[in-house]
Amino acid sequence: MTKVLIPTLLLSFLTVVMVLGSVTPAMADSSGDGGDKSYKKYRVMPIGDSEGTIEITEDSDKAKLKEQVMPLHEVAAGYEDIHKAKLGQAVNDGGKYYLVWKLVSYSYDAESDSKTKTIYVLDAGNGVALTEPITKEGGSCGDKEKKSQSTRTSGDNA
């Protein structure tokens, strides 16, 4: 019995190693562009025909870009109840990319049981708003009806 079991286990193990070895490089190269994978433009905010002061190009150095950024405490001075702020990228209609501050505030209306998220897209170089505030309503997944229909599974009403 062990004469058959050991070679079978060894072959099974080698098969798994070979499959995982061939899948991992294929998944790592799934970007499809064939170019440099260290510079990706995702989560980019559209800003219409506006232009920023700090342009991002393929050969931009992140450290040099950050040296040009206006400090957050100065940018956020005119905005109340900012819960999250981070540097990000924005693209205009001409396809040019700019460095921006994305300021996010949240509010909750208990009467209507709705949560509102407001995003401000500001030029990272001078703090000027590049778009109108973007407002999104709903729960954490955008489905406030699902949230309000949930039932409690613990406590007094269980």
Side-chain angles (χ1 to χ4, degrees):
M1 175 92 171
T2 59
K3 290 181 181 181
V4 175
L5 185 61
I6 291 175
T8 305
L9 289 175
L10 183 61
L11 284 173
S12 299
F13 177 74
L14 288 174
T15 304
V16 170
V17 168
M18 289 174 54
V19 168
L20 290 178
S22 64
V23 169
T24 304
M27 291 176 65
D29 192 31
S30 63
S31 66
D33 62 359
D36 181 22
K37 296 180 186 41
S38 63
Y39 189 83
K40 294 185 180 181
K41 295 180 179 180
Y42 51 92
R43 297 188 187 229
V44 177
M45 301 296 296
I47 56 173
D49 60 352
S50 299
E51 291 189 0
T53 57
I54 304 174
E55 187 173 355
I56 302 171
T57 60
E58 288 293 328
D59 57 341
S60 293
D61 180 22
K62 287 184 180 182
K64 289 182 181 178
L65 289 175
K66 287 184 178 183
E67 290 175 0
Q68 302 174 44
V69 172
M70 188 173 179
L72 178 60
H73 69 274
E74 292 179 22
V75 171
Y79 297 89
E80 295 181 21
D81 298 328
I82 298 299
H83 296 96
K84 187 166 72 169
K86 66 179 183 175
L87 287 172
Q89 299 178 44
V91 63
N92 68 5
D93 291 342
K96 292 185 179 181
Y97 289 82
Y98 298 98
L99 192 61
V100 296
W101 276 109
K102 292 195 279 188
L103 307 179
V104 181
S105 68
Y106 299 97
S107 61
Y108 177 74
D109 182 13
E111 188 174 303
S112 65
D113 190 31
S114 64
K115 183 178 181 181
T116 304
K117 174 181 178 180
T118 306
I119 304 170
Y120 303 95
V121 181
L122 309 176
D123 186 331
N126 60 18
V128 173
L130 296 175
T131 64
E132 293 293 320
I134 301 165
T135 305
K136 297 179 181 182
E137 289 188 28
S140 61
C141 294
D143 191 2
K144 62 184 176 184
E145 286 78 23
K146 185 176 182 180
K147 180 182 173 187
S148 64
Q149 291 176 359
S150 62
T151 59
R152 293 178 59 182
T153 58
S154 64
D156 298 337
N157 295 336

